[in-house]
Amino acid sequence: MGTEAVEPLAIRNVILIGDEDGVAGLAHRLRRLSGSPGTSIRWVTDRVEHTLRVAEVSSRSPERSIRVAEGVIAVVDATVGSTPRLEAMLRAADDYQVARLCLVTGLDRPGADFDGCVRAIADIRGAVPLPVHLPLGVGAGFRGVLDLVQPVAENPGGPGRIAAQRHRELVHTVSGQARAMSPGRLRHGIARLTRLGEVVPILCCAAPGVDDLAPLLDAVVRYLPSPMEVCQPEHALDQ
């Protein structure tokens, strides 16, 4: 029986980076979703099926893992923020021009600080952090996540006003203008800047008790490059 051909533009080869506990926890959730010991996931985004191959960063040679990666997911604990290990890995990704996005976890735990995580990432040399999610509360008050790519109604009080402002900031960062953009055009702009290494999209884990990885997997497909869209000589097309 022959091997099924996979369209290269529909492949995402991704490395998980960050502190060991966070990386291991996300890898476990992804393996459970894939239903196999390996982490190869068939995932449909925007009505197109993609193959996502996810690996944990090598503990023996993390810089080598990052250097040959086509994209990385940085796992950031909201109660800790940046750590020397995470900083070193993000700097390596910047040095080797590897596209990356960040997933902030632990927003339901005491001491969680989403904005502190964004500031910590901003302090690391390299791409500009670009929140595409807004947590609704933190700690014991965490109750979910808003997608800032979608336009938000600006209602007096509550999260609507803040989310609308963050949406406008997202649009301005991506386009340099204040004009409204459709979600599709905005995602296209985020993808372009991410693959150029100019921004790092920041996502939030779902609310407690909701093991929903769909927003992360959609973001991997939409923002991180396929093997055909990277230019480092170390990258080889994985047939």
Side-chain angles (χ1 to χ4, degrees), residues 15-32:
I15 296 290
L16 303 181
I17 68 172
D19 290 312
E20 293 181 2
D21 289 346
V23 167
L26 179 57
H28 174 73
R29 293 171 66 195
L30 290 167
R31 281 193 295 271
R32 189 166 58 193

Side-chain angles (χ1 to χ4, degrees), residues 148 152 154 159-171:
L148 294 175
V152 181
E154 187 167 358
R161 180 181 61 81
I162 298 173
Q165 175 62 31
R166 296 289 180 89
H167 173 78
R168 288 193 295 269
E169 292 171 358
L170 175 62
V171 170

Side-chain angles (χ1 to χ4, degrees), residues 24-237:
L26 179 57
H28 174 73
R29 293 171 66 195
L30 290 167
R31 281 193 295 271
R32 189 166 58 193
L33 179 64
S34 71
S36 64
T39 311
S40 180
I41 300 169
R42 293 292 183 91
W43 188 255
V44 176
T45 296
D46 301 327
R47 294 176 293 190
V48 177
E49 184 175 78
H50 294 77
T51 298
L52 280 58
R53 301 165 180 162
V54 186
E56 298 176 56
V57 68
S58 168
S59 59
R60 288 182 294 181
S61 53
E63 187 165 324
R64 164 70 180 171
S65 294
I66 294 167
R67 180 165 62 87
V68 300
E70 291 155 9
V72 302
I73 301 171
V75 185
V76 183
D77 187 333
T79 65
V80 177
S82 182
T83 66
R85 176 182 172 87
L86 176 63
E87 289 183 16
M89 291 182 178
L90 285 175
R91 292 181 197 279
D94 184 58
D95 287 341
Y96 297 115
Q97 301 177 10
V98 180
R100 56 264 193 213
L101 57 83
C102 290
L103 179 69
V104 179
T105 64
L107 287 160
D108 59 315
R109 297 202 293 267
D113 184 356
F114 176 72
D115 289 337
C117 289
V118 175
R119 289 193 299 271
I121 294 167
D123 288 340
I124 300 171
R125 171 178 54 85
V128 174
L130 190 71
V132 296
H133 284 170
L134 176 69
L136 299 175
V138 292
F142 179 56
R143 60 190 186 281
V145 176
L146 279 178
D147 180 359
L148 294 175
V149 174
Q150 299 289 340
V152 181
E154 187 167 358
N155 299 319
R161 180 181 61 81
I162 298 173
Q165 175 62 31
R166 296 289 180 89
H167 173 78
R168 288 193 295 269
E169 292 171 358
L170 175 62
V171 170
H172 185 268
T173 301
V174 171
S175 69
Q177 301 176 357
R179 292 183 302 183
M181 298 177 70
S182 69
R185 285 188 60 218
L186 186 51
R187 291 188 185 108
H188 179 77
I190 295 169
R192 181 180 65 84
L193 294 175
T194 301
R195 293 168 187 179
L196 287 173
E198 296 183 12
V199 302
V200 178
I202 311 286
L203 293 83
C204 301
C205 254
V210 180
D211 195 16
D212 183 8
L213 291 171
L216 173 63
L217 299 179
D218 285 340
V220 168
V221 168
R222 288 169 174 157
Y223 304 139
L224 296 182
S226 74
M228 302 295 290
E229 295 167 315
V230 294
C231 60
Q232 290 92 323
E234 295 86 352
H235 293 147
L237 177 60

